Amino acid sequence: MANKFVAVFLMCIVVVAAFSLQEAKAAELDKFKGCFSNCGKGCLGEGNGNTFCEKKCDNDCSEKELAEKLNINLP
């Protein structure tokens, strides 16, 4: 009986941890989408092409995201 209780308790911990990770990942994705959207609007407004802006913004936002994770200040 005690073994079943421990097993259920551990499963609950795993489920809670999985949902916590899912929420953190969603928050990161929202931050990237915001950066990408703002960058894209500005880039397209400057008269650049869609493909150029996608590549530029993907690189810029990925660089910012990585720098933030590594606590590096970008110019």
Side-chain angles (χ1 to χ4, degrees):
M1 181 75 175
N3 288 340
K4 289 181 182 179
F5 179 74
V6 171
V8 169
F9 181 71
L10 290 176
M11 287 301 294
C12 290
I13 290 174
V14 169
V15 169
V16 168
F19 280 115
S20 296
L21 291 174
Q22 195 76 359
E23 288 177 16
K25 187 70 174 172
E28 283 184 23
L29 187 60
D30 287 344
K31 188 181 278 189
F32 182 84
K33 281 183 180 179
C35 174
F36 192 84
S37 179
N38 290 338
C39 177
K41 289 177 186 174
C43 184
L44 291 172
E46 294 173 356
N48 295 314
N50 190 42
T51 303
F52 173 81
C53 290
E54 276 194 39
K55 288 183 179 184
K56 176 190 178 303
C57 294
D58 187 41
N59 288 338
D60 290 351
C61 293
S62 294
E63 185 178 294
K64 287 180 184 177
E65 185 178 34
L66 180 62
E68 191 174 291
K69 285 182 182 178
L70 299 175
N71 293 324
I72 300 172
N73 293 328
L74 293 176

